[in-house]
Amino acid sequence: MTGTPPRPAAEDPRAARTRARLRAALLAECAERPLADVGVAALARRAGVGRATFYVHYDDLEALAVDACADVVRDAVDALHAWRGRPDPVHAPPALRDFFAGLVPHRDLYRELLAPGGGGPLGRVLHRDLRAHSVAERELAGAADAPLVASAVAATFAGVLADWLHGLLDAGPGEVADQVWQLLVTLHMSR
């Protein structure tokens, strides 16, 4: 199974710069063509590194793509937890609306990594991180059935996000943010 390689706590600055160049090169390549049409050699040239250097950092293009899109996962988790106090049950917090709007420029790449229903390599990372954050938050609040509700929240969000990116939901970014927010608020109130 490919995935984002673990990063050491104090990553070598040269390695961090190389990885950043590879991520930027991948995003630039994917703005021009689908991920399936991107080659390692062309990507390495664009990043200004050797092909062998690419393989020092990543197993394959999918692992690089998941790493390049990992900020989306962090942004999603942050956007879903950007509110404090009693949530508005109808309107998503501005951070969640901004999150959905910010996906549009790299929509094609996210679609390749996030399968309908929320699967795929990016979907697995999103589900794992969102579930972990939700469990921790619910346990801290003393909420009942923290793992159950956290699983439902993570699956719902990943599934709606993926289906929206794949065009299975007919809604603009703000509208889908409000819709998924309403579902998540209902899940949190159910137990």
Side-chain angles (χ1 to χ4, degrees):
M1 179 172 114
T2 63
T4 305
R7 292 187 181 170
E11 185 176 27
D12 176 348
R14 292 172 299 170
R17 283 191 301 273
T18 299
R19 292 168 84 84
R21 289 196 338 241
L22 287 166
R23 289 190 301 268
L26 179 79
L27 292 174
E29 286 285 325
C30 288
E32 299 170 3
R33 64 187 56 78
L35 179 61
D37 294 344
V38 174
V40 172
L43 178 83
R45 271 192 307 277
R46 187 175 206 145
V49 302
R51 185 180 171 104
T53 299
F54 171 87
Y55 288 108
V56 166
H57 296 279
Y58 297 100
D59 292 337
D60 55 26
L61 284 170
E62 183 179 279
L64 169 58
V66 170
D67 188 32
C69 295
D71 285 341
V72 168
V73 172
R74 285 185 288 280
D75 291 347
V77 171
D78 291 346
L80 284 171
H81 296 91
W83 57 275
R84 291 292 169 243
R86 190 171 192 88
D88 178 338
V90 177
H91 299 98
L96 187 58
R97 295 173 73 85
D98 293 346
F99 166 76
F100 274 94
L103 295 175
V104 175
H106 295 291
R107 184 180 209 147
D108 292 338
L109 177 59
Y110 301 138
R111 270 196 292 246
E112 291 189 54
L113 299 172
L114 192 59
L122 190 59
R124 287 188 293 274
V125 173
L126 176 61
H127 187 277
R128 179 197 68 212
D129 291 1
L130 183 53
R131 185 182 184 284
H133 192 90
S134 292
V135 165
E137 200 168 81
R138 289 187 64 77
E139 286 176 346
L140 185 64
D145 294 327
L148 174 68
V149 174
S151 289
V153 165
T156 298
F157 184 77
V160 169
L161 172 62
D163 287 357
W164 178 70
L165 287 169
H166 283 277
L168 300 175
L169 300 174
D170 186 24
E175 186 180 4
V176 76
D178 286 345
Q179 291 169 345
V180 76
W181 180 251
Q182 292 164 19
L183 291 171
L184 298 178
V185 168
T186 301
L187 284 171
H188 275 284
M189 293 175 153
S190 68
R191 300 291 286 180

